Amino acid sequence: TEQLNQRVVAAEERNTGLVDTIEHLKQRVVIAEERDAELVDTIEHLKQRVVIAEERDAELVDTIEHLKQRVVIAEEYIFSLEEKVVKMLCKNCGMIFSGGDGSVCRYH
């Protein structure tokens, strides 16, 4: 019976060790689930940031297109001003005069 008692004690010790291991594993599962939930939240947050970044990118593209159009308009305006100035210059001396017909000033 002594041998049987020793075997019972050994079995109870193993059982206690298994219970401890199971509890430890349960705690690790809880921690893993919490981390998983945090990762899901982080992924959702990052997805939202990507959407915001894409919207800002689209706005920047629109702004760039708008600015390109304004540059074209400004270039056309500058060109028209240059044409007007050229018409105001004397062909002989380059002096500005109010004739405006692209010919020569009153001195030429």
Side-chain angles (χ1 to χ4, degrees):
T1 59
E2 181 62 33
Q3 186 180 8
L4 186 59
N5 284 337
Q6 289 175 355
R7 289 180 74 183
V8 167
V9 168
E12 287 174 345
E13 288 173 355
R14 281 196 306 270
N15 187 39
T16 301
L18 289 173
V19 168
D20 290 346
T21 301
I22 290 169
E23 285 305 312
H24 176 73
L25 291 174
K26 284 181 181 178
Q27 291 171 357
R28 301 239 353 222
V29 166
V30 168
I31 292 169
E33 288 172 344
E34 290 171 353
R35 287 184 182 163
D36 184 55
E38 290 173 3
L39 287 174
V40 168
D41 290 346
T42 301
I43 289 168
E44 286 306 311
H45 176 72
L46 290 174
K47 284 181 180 177
Q48 292 170 359
R49 298 230 7 214
V50 166
V51 168
I52 291 169
E54 288 172 342
E55 290 170 353
R56 286 184 180 163
D57 184 54
E59 290 172 4
L60 287 174
V61 168
D62 290 347
T63 301
I64 290 168
E65 286 306 311
H66 176 72
L67 290 174
K68 284 180 180 178
Q69 292 170 0
R70 298 222 17 207
V71 165
V72 168
I73 292 168
E75 288 173 341
E76 291 171 352
Y77 179 70
I78 290 169
F79 181 73
S80 71
L81 288 178
E82 288 173 345
E83 286 180 330
K84 288 178 184 176
V85 169
V86 166
K87 287 180 182 177
M88 294 171 63
L89 297 177
C90 174
K91 288 183 181 179
N92 291 333
C93 68
M95 186 172 93
I96 294 177
F97 69 104
S98 61
D101 61 357
S103 58
V104 294
C105 66
R106 63 181 169 173
Y107 302 110
H108 293 102

